[in-house]
Amino acid sequence: MTKQTKTKRIRAALSNPGWVSLTWFGMTAGISLLAVPAQFAAPAATRAISLDVARAIFTALNKAELVALILLLIVVRVSGNARRWWAASSILAFIILLQTVWLLPELAERSRMILAGTEPPPSIAHAAYSTLELAKLGILLVLGLTAISRPEPQPK
């Protein structure tokens, strides 16, 4: 294989949105489905400590997901197949927007209230966040597996 062929193969692989989607999926699934639920199940962790740690973890995850979203949008744009991946990317962007602007601030405020000794009023925020998180994971998995299993030739 020539150096030029290797370079083309590497470019094609890097411009496939599958690697971004599956990396993002792994990061989010590891935190949302494993780490945080395990933390709340730890017998020595109080509710207040678990809430405070979860708030910090989800804030960091959100920042990492914003970076992943930007990277995904760039890869989709340069892939030469932007029309194919645009709908999934748009839905992911909408989910991240909702989580960043509405849900995370509301859940953080609810955590602060609990830490201050006040029980917050009922809210759909946690259920909405969980539902959107599962939808996001499903979209990332389908996008990633589809992109990797059926890569399209790059335009010349």
Side-chain angles (χ1 to χ4, degrees):
M1 185 180 318
T2 68
K3 185 175 181 178
Q4 188 176 20
T5 304
K6 285 181 187 178
T7 303
K8 283 183 181 181
R9 291 181 81 182
I10 290 170
R11 276 196 190 134
L14 290 176
S15 66
N16 184 315
W19 70 270
V20 179
S21 300
L22 293 175
T23 301
W24 182 358
F25 172 86
M27 173 181 65
T28 301
I31 291 170
S32 295
L33 302 179
L34 295 173
V36 173
Q39 152 193 319
F40 278 94
T46 64
R47 181 181 183 208
I49 289 171
S50 293
L51 284 172
D52 199 31
V53 172
R55 182 178 43 155
I57 288 171
F58 279 111
T59 298
L61 175 62
N62 183 251
K63 289 176 184 174
E65 286 187 314
L66 286 167
V67 170
L69 175 63
I70 291 167
L71 186 57
L72 178 68
L73 293 173
I74 291 169
V75 170
V76 163
R77 177 65 182 104
V78 301
S79 72
N81 301 305
R83 293 181 109 186
R84 179 176 182 189
W85 310 116
W86 193 245
S89 300
S90 298
I91 294 168
L92 289 168
F94 183 68
I95 290 171
I96 293 296
L97 179 68
L98 284 175
Q99 289 178 328
T100 303
V101 175
W102 169 44
L103 295 166
L104 284 173
E106 183 171 334
L107 291 170
E109 181 57 33
R110 293 175 64 78
S111 294
R112 283 188 205 92
M113 291 172 75
I114 292 169
L115 291 172
T118 307
E119 195 62 33
S123 169
I124 65 161
H126 194 267
Y129 188 92
S130 299
T131 301
L132 289 173
E133 197 73 351
L134 291 173
K136 177 176 40 177
L137 286 169
I139 293 166
L140 287 168
L141 187 60
V142 169
L143 174 61
L145 293 176
T146 302
I148 285 180
S149 68
R150 287 188 265 150
E152 295 190 19
Q154 297 300 304
K156 296 181 183 193

